[in-house]
Amino acid sequence: MDIKKGDLVLVISGKDKGKRGKVISVLPAEEKVVVEGVNIVKRHVRPSAKMRQGGIVEKPAPLYRCKVMLICPRCNQPTRIKHTFLEDGKKVRVCSKCKEIIDRV
Ligand SMILES: [Zn+2]
C-alpha cells in the first residue's frame, strides 16, 4: 500500500470524483482507504446511551485505493507514486512529477 494515513488525495472516479481529502485510515488487506468527507454513507443508529434519540450518522466509507491519487505535498499536483531507496536503504515515496521525496525523513 503506497497511500498512508494523513496523505492528501484526489478522488478520480465514482460519485465523489474531483473531491480532495485527507486519508484518515488505510485498510491494506482490502486495498482500501478511508478519506475524510468522501464516500459518505448514512447509517441509521438505534438509540443508545451515547445517542439517546438514535438517528442518522454520516461517516466516510472505505473506497478502493485505485480510485484516488496522491496529491504531492511539494508540487500540489495529483501524482503517481514512485519509490526510491535512500543511502541508508530506507524506501521512500517519490512524486513522479516534481521528483521530490514525499515522505518526511
Ligand atoms: Zn510533486
Side-chain angles (χ1 to χ4, degrees):
M1 199 71 158
D2 51 4
I3 296 276
K4 292 177 182 173
K5 191 176 168 182
D7 284 343
L8 191 65
V9 294
L10 172 72
V11 181
I12 52 170
S13 77
K15 69 183 166 90
D16 289 315
K17 189 176 172 180
K19 270 193 189 172
R20 288 172 177 224
K22 204 170 91 176
V23 175
I24 48 182
S25 72
V26 176
L27 311 165
E30 298 169 56
E31 294 266 304
K32 284 180 174 178
V33 293
V34 181
V35 184
E36 202 171 57
V38 172
N39 203 24
I40 296 294
V41 290
K42 288 177 182 172
R43 291 235 166 95
H44 293 269
V45 181
R46 284 183 191 167
S48 64
K50 217 173 169 185
M51 286 185 67
R52 264 174 227 161
Q53 298 282 310
I56 297 167
V57 172
E58 296 190 354
K59 59 179 282 189
L63 69 161
Y64 282 103
R65 186 263 166 264
C66 60
K67 289 192 172 183
V68 301
M69 271 184 100
L70 181 76
I71 296 171
C72 170
R74 312 274 171 183
C75 64
N76 204 29
Q77 303 233 34
T79 184
R80 297 184 77 92
I81 299 166
K82 291 186 169 186
H83 292 97
T84 193
F85 292 93
L86 300 178
E87 281 175 19
D88 63 2
K90 200 177 171 200
K91 192 178 177 187
V92 289
R93 298 179 298 166
V94 176
C95 169
S96 66
K97 293 216 168 128
C98 67
K99 316 292 180 208
E100 285 284 345
I101 292 169
I102 295 163
D103 291 305
R104 273 171 239 119
V105 285

